[in-house]
């Protein structure tokens, strides 16, 4: 399979139109058989549920070329399960897990030429999503839906690659208590756009959001969970009902405990305590592990000592082990790697 002629090493996190996408439509109470198409455009009613009341949920995962030249993706079963929960919360019919995994395989296989080569630093980002496509004008769920997956080759999420970033404490809340912070819905990202534009204008790479009820605890950033390393080299992971249950974070907890022998504590983490930790990282499919050099809290700087010039040593070990598993250099736990070819 000949790869596309792309400067893989210089890709940013951006959308490129690739050759095939997977589409299935839901009508009269059932999903149709679905399949691959080449048309990247969608025609829908001006009054579609997604356009009027943001009835849409999505997922994000990646495909990798491994050291020995296979194409794999990472834990797609967990994306399928998370999307079931997201869909149920927004009254979108669930796209069945087995079909979700099969659709991921089909669309990656069809776009094999777009999977970045092993060692290039780039990966193939896979974006499954479901949205209300039929007209609604009173506030209610649509009758018809589309499930779709496209793929796009991507490089690092943050400009500068692995260079530690500076983030700010957002003045806005990302989630409400008992709201939708724990699901992957477009609406959570729409409300973060003004905050991210403001943060970028002020020179920050991202926002970190506090818990909406008390604004004392660290939740997550706009597109990633947070993790901390204490002075003993152990991992501290914020726990909250209103953050997205990151598959990367759940995998890192396992890697920390079972591969690296670290102690992991999952609990509420207060903004006021994090200054004592030498390393902070953002973790997610897009972010992988991105080191945080500083948080700016309204002029007060919280400095992560071991993340100044580059990622600190514990985050680096976690990063090397996780990406080693994803790219076939390190043996994966049972069921984590899904072979595509
Ligand atoms: N939190 C938010 C708000 C996200 O958008 C993402 C990205 O998917 C994550 C966390 C990380 O989740 P995952 O590791 O499953 O990609
Ligand atoms: C992902 O990591 O898959 C995400 O969805 C983050 C995103 C906001 C780009």
């Amino acid at each position: 399979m000949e790869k596309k002629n792309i400067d893989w090493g210089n890709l940013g996190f951006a959308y490129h139109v690739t050759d095939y996408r997977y589409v299935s439509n839901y009508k009269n109470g059932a999903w149709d058989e679905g399949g691959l198409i080449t048309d990247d455009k969608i025609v829908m009613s001006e009054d579609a549920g997604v356009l009027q009341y943001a009835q849409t949920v999505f997922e994000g995962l990646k495909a990798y070329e491994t050291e020995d030249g296979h194409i794999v993706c990472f834990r797609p079963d967990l994306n399928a399960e998370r999307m079931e929960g997201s869909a149920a919360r927004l009254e979108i019919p669930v796209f069945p897990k087995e079909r979700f995994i099969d659709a991921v395989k089909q669309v990656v296989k069809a776009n094999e030429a777009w999977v970045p080569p092993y060692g290039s630093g780039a990966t193939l980002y896979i974006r499954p999503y479901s949205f209300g496509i039929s007209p609604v004008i009173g506030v209610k769920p649509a009758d018809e839906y589309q499930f779709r997956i496209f793929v796009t080759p991507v490089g690092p999420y943050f400009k500068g690659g692995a260079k530690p970033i500076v983030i700010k404490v957002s003045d806005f809340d990302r989630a409400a208590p008992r709201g939708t912070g724990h699901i992957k819905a477009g609406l959570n990202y729409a409300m973060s756009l003004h905050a991210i534009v403001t943060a970028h204008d002020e020179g920050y790479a991202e926002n970190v959001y506090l818990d909406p009820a008390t604004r004392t605890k660290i939740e997550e950033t706009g597109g990633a969970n947070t993790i901390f390393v204490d002075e003993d080299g152990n991992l501290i992971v914020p726990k909250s009902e209103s953050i997205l249950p990151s598959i990367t974070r759940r995998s890192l907890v396992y890697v920390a405990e079972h591969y690296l022998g670290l102690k992991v504590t999952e609990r509420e983490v207060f903004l006021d305590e994090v200054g004592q930790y030498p390393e902070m990282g953002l973790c997610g499919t897009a972010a992988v592990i991105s080191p945080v050099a500083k948080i700016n809290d309204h002029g007060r700087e919280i400095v992560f000592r071991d993340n100044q010039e580059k990622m600190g040593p514990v985050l680096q070990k976690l990063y090397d082990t996780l990406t080693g598993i994803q790219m076939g250099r390190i043996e994966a736990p049972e069921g984590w790697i899904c072979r595509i070819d």
Side-chain angles (χ1 to χ4, degrees):
M1 160 64 53
E2 202 175 319
K3 299 273 184 201
K4 298 285 173 181
N5 183 18
I6 290 176
D7 182 5
W8 305 104
N10 285 313
L11 283 175
F13 197 87
Y15 171 70
H16 297 263
V17 183
T18 52
D19 296 332
Y20 296 95
R21 56 277 306 128
Y22 178 93
V23 177
S24 175
N25 288 296
Y26 182 93
K27 214 172 175 166
N28 302 322
W31 291 104
D32 68 13
E33 66 180 323
L36 296 170
I37 62 165
T38 55
D39 190 358
D40 61 314
K41 302 289 186 294
I42 300 171
V43 176
M44 69 175 104
S45 164
E46 62 189 0
D47 188 34
V50 60
L51 299 178
Q52 301 309 321
Y53 303 125
Q55 198 188 11
T56 178
V57 294
F58 69 100
E59 271 305 323
L61 67 161
K62 282 176 172 173
Y64 308 85
E65 188 174 273
T66 60
E67 191 170 27
D68 57 359
H70 294 294
I71 296 174
V72 301
C73 64
F74 185 67
R75 311 190 78 180
D77 50 324
L78 297 190
N79 295 95
E81 285 168 15
R82 189 169 64 187
M83 194 160 170
E84 284 183 13
S86 301
R89 179 66 175 79
L90 293 199
E91 292 293 336
I92 293 174
V94 165
F95 193 73
K97 178 171 162 180
E98 295 317 313
R99 290 198 58 193
F100 178 105
I101 297 169
D102 177 58
V104 166
K105 288 182 178 169
Q106 283 190 45
V107 73
V108 172
K109 179 83 191 136
N111 289 293
E112 212 178 330
W114 294 92
V115 179
Y118 174 78
S120 64
T123 50
L124 189 74
Y125 186 70
I126 306 166
R127 173 54 64 88
Y129 55 118
S130 262
F131 55 95
I133 200 165
S134 61
V136 283
I137 196 68
V139 177
K140 66 179 178 72
D143 293 323
E144 295 172 11
Y145 295 83
Q146 184 168 108
F147 171 85
R148 196 171 178 107
I149 308 179
F150 67 77
V151 298
T152 180
V154 295
Y157 189 67
F158 293 106
K159 275 198 219 98
K163 205 171 158 292
I165 57 173
V166 180
I167 64 179
K168 68 171 277 193
V169 173
S170 177
D171 289 325
F172 301 95
D173 292 329
R174 172 185 176 275
R178 296 173 291 281
T180 55
H182 61 299
I183 64 163
K184 208 159 168 58
L187 60 91
N188 291 333
Y189 300 81
M191 59 63 53
S192 77
L193 296 177
H194 178 60
I196 193 72
V197 169
T198 307
H200 286 166
D201 285 349
E202 294 170 355
Y204 300 103
E206 247 293 9
N207 284 292
V208 64
Y209 292 96
L210 302 180
D211 72 294
T214 70
R215 294 190 58 82
T216 58
K217 290 169 263 182
I218 298 247
E219 295 248 290
E220 60 176 332
T221 64
N225 280 183
T226 57
I227 54 176
F228 298 87
V229 177
D230 71 13
E231 286 287 3
D232 297 326
N234 290 314
L235 200 61
I236 297 167
V237 180
K239 193 169 167 177
S240 159
E241 296 289 301
S242 49
I243 62 176
L244 191 76
S246 158
I247 293 162
T248 312
R249 185 246 299 164
R250 287 181 268 161
S251 304
L252 286 171
V253 164
Y254 186 91
V255 163
E257 286 176 334
H258 295 87
Y259 283 66
L260 303 177
L262 307 182
K263 197 173 116 218
V264 180
T265 312
E266 296 191 62
R267 60 164 171 80
E268 292 179 331
V269 172
F270 289 84
L271 179 64
D272 279 351
E273 74 175 88
V274 299
Q276 65 182 297
Y277 301 132
E279 301 177 51
M280 171 182 184
L282 307 186
C283 68
T285 299
V288 194
I289 298 181
S290 301
V292 177
K294 284 184 213 164
I295 299 178
N296 189 302
D297 173 23
H298 302 93
R300 178 175 72 102
E301 285 207 325
I302 302 172
V303 176
F304 296 97
R305 187 192 66 213
D306 292 353
N307 270 353
Q308 292 308 298
E309 297 307 315
K310 58 182 174 58
M311 190 182 295
V314 178
L315 290 184
Q316 187 69 53
K317 263 195 245 165
L318 285 164
Y319 179 94
D320 291 344
T321 312
L322 180 71
T323 55
I325 289 169
Q326 289 166 333
M327 306 207 186
R329 293 187 296 269
I330 296 176
E331 189 167 345
E334 176 82 33
W336 279 25
I337 298 297
C338 172
R339 267 277 291 268
I340 297 215
D341 61 340

